[in-house]
Amino acid sequence: MKIKKIIMLVALSLLFVSCTNTNNKVEENNKNIEKKNTTAQEESGEHKKIGVIQLADHIALERSRTSFEEEIKNLDKDVEIISKNANGDLTVVPTIIKNFVDEDVDLIYAIATPAAQGAKNGAGDIPIVFSAVTDPVSADLVKNIEEPEANVTGVSDYFSVKAQLEEALEVFPDIKNVGVLFSTNEANSKFQIEELNKAADDLGLEVIEVGINNINDVSTAMKSMENKIDLFFGIQDNTVSSAASIIAESLKSAKIPSVASEQGPVENGILMSTGVDYESLGKVAANMAHEIINGKKVSEVPVAYSAEVKKIVNETTADALGLSDNEKLTEDADLVK
């Protein structure tokens, strides 16, 4: 009897060991399959990570971000987006970029010139696609527009300042003095001021320019130019765009018409704009990013320029300035309140 029991116990032990070994092999096989699947996903370009840095909160940059994120999700459904906003504070840009590097992102989408410059300085060889940059060459982001030589390309929001002034003169033929604010911290703004002065000189206009350090300087700066200008020109400057509602109220009180280079400030009270569509820019940037994260070299993705231009007029501001009956103002324009 004892011998039979011993034989049974040995048999059970061998069965247990056999089952354990089988389970271990199954588990090991499952791990190998999972590892192979993960490797296959990585090799196929799935589960890519994109870091998005938005410099500040204003309509143009927000549209550049949301349209980019929506479009890239349509193109690459498994892409992971890590979105950060510097809230206008240039000192936090390097920290955000370092966070993207630590997260091992596959690409950085940088919205506005200082954000793109910060990405270039701190991202190493991670590909960068920028948007809302007026002149990428003077901002030292690229040297060759057609074949970007490093790891940076993107979409410029450039639109001829002279063309915008000519549009303004069609509506207000008697203007002589044009006022402009610009941020002393933005290379992007310096380029536009130079172009504005040249265009104004060609058209027989004088430019009254005032530099500001931050949004707190805006009210005082506007007061300083109110009695000197016939028209205010809002360039594509992040600080100025963020303060559009403050500027618009000041101009309405002084009965001075205004023009902006893009749609956002008009929605915040500036009178009119004939400029670029930032939603379109975001979509173009997303298509560029899609090509790059799926294997295309940055040098094979030229810097793009917006082909879509919109005229928009703020109806409420037009009423406040007594311009509701000005047919030239509203001709071919979309109206907002």
Side-chain angles (χ1 to χ4, degrees), residues 51-188:
V52 176
I53 175 169
Q54 179 178 329
L55 181 68
D57 274 321
H58 64 76
I59 292 171
L61 303 192
E62 186 69 13
R63 284 184 176 147
S64 291
R65 180 186 64 79
T66 55
S67 60
F68 173 89
E69 291 179 358
E70 287 169 5
E71 185 71 6
I72 198 68
K73 281 287 190 181
N74 287 334
L75 296 168
D76 295 276
K77 297 192 184 304
D78 293 313
V79 73
E80 178 186 349
I81 296 173
I82 305 168
S83 192
K84 304 283 185 181
N85 192 322
N87 294 308
D89 186 352
L90 299 183
T91 64
V92 306
V93 171
T95 304
I96 292 173
I97 300 304
K98 185 180 183 306
N99 176 259
F100 290 159
V101 173
D102 292 343
E103 289 279 355
D104 195 26
V105 299
D106 297 284
L107 180 137
I108 294 172
Y109 177 49
I111 311 171
T113 302
Q117 289 171 324
K120 183 182 179 183
N121 291 336
D125 59 359
I126 297 172
I128 298 161
V129 173
F130 61 74
S131 183
V133 172
T134 304
D135 183 24
V137 175
S138 69
D140 197 30
L141 293 171
V142 298
K143 291 183 175 65
N144 189 329
I145 295 292
E146 293 299 323
E147 296 179 1
E149 65 289 340
N151 61 320
V152 184
T153 188
V155 188
S156 170
D157 60 3
Y158 174 79
F159 181 67
S160 168
V161 169
K162 188 173 184 179
Q164 293 172 71
L165 278 179
E166 287 172 337
E167 179 77 23
L169 281 167
E170 285 285 321
V171 181
F172 308 108
D174 297 327
I175 61 173
K176 297 295 179 187
N177 301 310
V178 179
V180 60
L181 294 185
F182 68 96
S183 170
T184 55
N185 300 314
E186 287 193 44
N188 200 46

Side-chain angles (χ1 to χ4, degrees), residues 236-247:
Q236 288 153 309
D237 177 297
N238 293 295
T239 304
V240 174
S241 294
S242 296
S245 57
I246 299 170
I247 294 168

Side-chain angles (χ1 to χ4, degrees), residues 253-312:
S253 298
K255 300 296 181 185
I256 298 170
S258 51
V259 176
S261 295
E262 48 99 359
Q263 180 174 337
V266 178
E267 295 179 20
N268 283 324
I270 296 297
L271 178 62
M272 66 176 285
S273 171
T274 304
V276 298
D277 179 356
Y278 281 83
E279 187 174 327
S280 170
L281 295 187
K283 289 180 179 178
V284 173
N287 279 272
M288 297 168 84
H290 167 70
E291 290 182 331
I292 293 167
I293 64 174
N294 285 284
K296 200 164 189 178
K297 293 178 181 177
V298 173
S299 61
E300 297 173 344
V301 184
V303 172
Y305 289 81
S306 175
E308 294 186 32
V309 175
K310 283 185 178 179
K311 181 179 179 182
I312 184 169

Side-chain angles (χ1 to χ4, degrees), residues 160 210 217:
S160 168
V210 180
D217 297 337

Side-chain angles (χ1 to χ4, degrees), residues 223-260:
K223 286 292 179 187
S224 73
M225 70 167 69
E226 275 181 4
N227 297 323
K228 304 173 185 175
I229 64 174
D230 310 307
L231 177 82
F232 178 83
F233 190 95
I235 62 172
Q236 288 153 309
D237 177 297
N238 293 295
T239 304
V240 174
S241 294
S242 296
S245 57
I246 299 170
I247 294 168
E249 287 306 311
S250 176
L251 293 169
K252 280 191 278 189
S253 298
K255 300 296 181 185
I256 298 170
S258 51
V259 176

